[in-house]
Amino acid sequence: MATWNVNSIRARMTHALAFLEARRPDVLLMQELKGLEFPAEDFRAVGYESVAIGQKSYNGVAILSRLPIEMVTNRLAGDDEDTHARYLETIIDTPTKLRVVNIYLPNGNPIGTEKFFYKLQWMDRLIQQMLVWKNDPIPTIIGGDFNVIPEEIDCDKPANWVRDALFQPEPRERYRAMKAMGFVDAFRTLYPDTADAFTYWDYFRQAFERNRGIRIDHFLLSPALAPRLTACEIDKTPRAQEKPSDHTPLLVTLA
């Protein structure tokens, strides 16, 4: 299974198809589609069914699957007025059932504005859902762009991020609360001390070439699913291609 913020599916379609051909994940979660139209037929042609929710110019999430997939909901509970396309909850037959949740968590910048408080409220709503999933007989995996730098080890220079919403105490505390209830960060569980392991680099000042990045794309596994974690890998190949997304895929393997 993989997650990837593609930063416009229209601009990154050839990248997505190349990644699917090279890695053949059973499931791919994509964020920041940036459009209402989704090329489901193009992905079906290479063996993937899909569910998606788009939004004009912004946001948008999709899940591709080589396995039977059933949409549960495309709305995160807790705010009926929230129309942002940031959430997909599905059940995938693996052949045992697995809840696969794709999120594109709000960025939250600038700090102290309505956008920042929306980010915190969105995380609080997600935590409420996770409390339900924690003890559900169907195991759960949550993947996507969390827009949270969990710890100092997850960024090149912490001093550069102290005034950014991604690194503020409030979202980081909420991320820790998710882990405190028993969900595990797949990458950090397997590589607790690995530094310079990032999933995002901006397009400026040769950030990718100098590996000046941050780790903000994550997989969280419910307590029942955690023992099945066997591997987690950041694939930097797509980020090195011409006209790439500013994110790169994160892959997880479950027994």
Side-chain angles (χ1 to χ4, degrees):
M1 186 180 303
T3 181
W4 187 10
N5 179 321
V6 293
N7 190 16
S8 172
I9 189 59
R10 175 181 292 182
R12 243 62 70 178
M13 189 62 186
T14 56
H15 298 71
L17 292 172
F19 174 74
L20 292 174
E21 182 179 3
R23 301 304 303 260
R24 297 300 291 173
D26 288 328
V27 179
L28 173 60
L29 285 58
M30 294 191 292
Q31 304 87 39
E32 207 170 353
L33 304 178
K34 291 186 175 179
L36 291 170
E37 301 297 324
F38 185 74
E41 290 300 323
D42 294 295
F43 290 118
R44 184 175 291 117
V46 295
Y48 289 85
E49 293 300 318
S50 61
V51 294
I53 178 171
Q55 184 175 338
K56 186 177 180 180
S57 304
Y58 299 99
N59 305 327
V61 287
I63 300 178
L64 311 182
S65 179
R66 298 167 62 192
L67 304 166
I69 182 170
E70 173 191 349
M71 164 96 104
V72 176
T73 181
N74 57 23
R75 298 288 295 273
L76 177 61
D79 185 354
D80 293 338
E81 296 182 359
D82 184 2
T83 59
H84 287 199
R86 296 183 174 276
Y87 178 90
L88 276 178
E89 180 183 343
T90 64
I91 299 294
I92 291 179
D93 194 342
T94 67
T96 58
K97 291 186 181 300
L98 176 66
R99 178 180 291 103
V100 177
V101 181
N102 183 7
I103 70 168
Y104 177 39
L105 206 146
N107 177 283
N109 281 302
I111 299 167
T113 66
E114 183 178 342
K115 291 182 178 181
F116 184 68
F117 295 114
Y118 170 60
K119 178 192 187 87
L120 301 183
Q121 292 163 2
W122 208 95
M123 296 186 79
D124 289 338
R125 290 159 57 198
L126 180 60
I127 287 171
Q128 291 304 307
Q129 283 297 123
M130 294 171 71
L131 287 169
V132 175
W133 297 331
K134 180 178 71 169
N135 298 316
D136 193 283
I138 300 176
T140 300
I141 183 167
I142 308 164
D145 179 358
F146 281 67
N147 270 318
V148 176
I149 305 169
E151 305 294 342
E152 290 191 357
I153 194 175
D154 296 309
C155 53
D156 172 50
K157 290 186 178 180
N160 292 343
W161 296 93
V162 294
R163 293 181 176 86
D164 194 287
L166 279 62
F167 200 50
Q168 292 310 293
E170 296 92 339
R172 293 172 68 196
E173 287 168 2
R174 284 163 171 78
Y175 190 82
R176 291 174 189 144
M178 295 174 185
K179 296 199 298 180
M181 72 174 74
F183 284 77
V184 302
D185 179 325
F187 184 84
R188 199 48 80 195
T189 296
L190 295 175
Y191 306 103
D193 302 315
T194 299
D196 301 323
F198 309 130
T199 61
Y200 168 91
W201 304 259
D202 70 32
Y203 291 122
F204 309 106
R205 299 177 293 278
Q206 294 186 303
F208 178 68
E209 290 77 7
R210 297 177 179 179
N211 200 29
R212 294 177 176 173
I214 52 178
R215 190 179 73 94
I216 56 174
D217 302 270
H218 310 299
F219 275 115
L220 293 182
L221 283 60
S222 67
L225 189 61
R228 292 168 54 186
L229 174 65
T230 61
C232 192
E233 171 196 354
I234 298 170
D235 183 355
K236 295 170 69 173
T237 303
R239 184 62 176 83
Q241 295 171 348
E242 187 176 356
K243 297 182 179 179
S245 168
D246 41 10
H247 295 248
T248 210
L250 175 71
L251 297 96
V252 68
T253 304
L254 304 174

